[in-house]
């Protein structure tokens, strides 16, 4: 009597480089950030306020929109920087920027009456920022033997990361 063998095979699970994880996380953060703002247009009165030249308590001006653009540029640029900065600078930049973004994300819910909507948005953004902090904090280090074996060739060491 023969026993039946399962026909499934193990799925390949290749190691994802930290840079790719960080870029993906910043992309996710940016999309959450944008979609919370876009979906907020559906709140009653928001479009009327914009037509009247007001966003929150602020008069719409070039300065305000420039500030908004600068704030949005941070996660957008972090996607590129996460893929291109050298490892040490990359790690430090991600730790600093994600740490600064956490309280900024929480600020977006302050004073809002739609607590479920903004609460979920902030919670999801903070979860993604926590992942970014974890990926950057636990960035794998090269072993001394690998560095000695490869010599000063930076590309060989970088390829191991």
């Amino acid at each position: 009597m023969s026993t039946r063998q399962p026909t499934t095979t193990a799925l390949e699970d290749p190691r994802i480089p930290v840079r790719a994880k960080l870029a993906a996380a910043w992309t996710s953060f940016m999309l959450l950030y944008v979609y919370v703002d876009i979906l907020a247009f559906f709140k009653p009165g928001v479009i009327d306020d914009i037509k009247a030249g007001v966003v929150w308590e602020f008069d719409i001006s070039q300065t305000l929109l420039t500030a908004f653009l600068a704030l949005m540029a941070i996660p957008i640029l972090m996607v590129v920087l996460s893929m291109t900065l050298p490892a040490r600078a990359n790690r430090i930049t991600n730790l600093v920027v994600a740490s600064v973004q956490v309280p900024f994300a929480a600020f977006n819910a302050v004073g809002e009456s739609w607590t479920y909507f903004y609460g979920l948005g902030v919670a999801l953004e903070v979860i993604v920022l926590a992942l970014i902090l974890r990926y950057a904090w636990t960035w794998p280090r090269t072993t001394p033997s690998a560095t000695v074996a490869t010599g000063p060739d930076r590309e060989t060491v970088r390829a191991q990361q």
Side-chain angles (χ1 to χ4, degrees):
M1 182 194 268
S2 64
T3 59
R4 197 165 207 177
Q5 297 294 331
T7 58
T8 60
T9 58
L11 297 174
E12 182 181 357
D13 193 12
R15 185 170 164 249
I16 299 171
V18 176
R19 293 173 192 276
K21 289 180 185 180
L22 288 167
W26 279 112
T27 303
S28 296
F29 175 79
M30 182 188 62
L31 289 169
L32 283 167
Y33 192 143
V34 169
Y35 273 98
V36 167
D37 287 346
I38 291 170
L39 292 173
F41 290 140
F42 292 98
K43 286 175 36 183
V46 170
I47 299 296
D48 293 333
D49 287 347
I50 292 170
K51 286 180 179 179
V54 177
V55 175
W56 296 305
E57 304 292 323
F58 305 106
D59 290 333
I60 297 174
S61 66
Q62 180 171 268
T63 303
L64 180 69
L65 295 181
T66 302
F68 287 172
L69 178 60
L71 292 172
M72 281 305 308
I74 294 169
I76 292 167
L77 293 174
M78 287 306 298
V79 175
V80 174
L81 293 175
S82 293
M83 291 300 289
T84 58
L85 284 175
R88 182 177 297 280
N90 200 332
R91 180 176 186 262
I92 292 168
T93 303
N94 273 279
L95 289 170
V96 169
V97 174
S99 296
V100 170
Q101 287 290 321
V102 170
F104 182 74
F107 171 77
N108 287 330
V110 172
E112 287 294 339
S113 60
W114 287 37
T115 54
Y116 296 139
F117 173 72
Y118 285 104
L120 178 60
V122 167
L124 293 171
E125 288 176 11
V126 169
I127 288 168
V128 174
L129 289 168
L131 280 173
I132 291 167
L133 289 168
R134 182 175 184 270
Y135 294 149
W137 186 260
T138 61
W139 194 301
R141 308 225 186 262
T142 57
T143 59
S145 61
T147 305
V148 171
T150 58
D153 183 7
R154 215 178 128 119
E155 290 305 313
T156 306
V157 173
R158 183 176 283 169
Q160 293 175 354
Q161 296 176 354

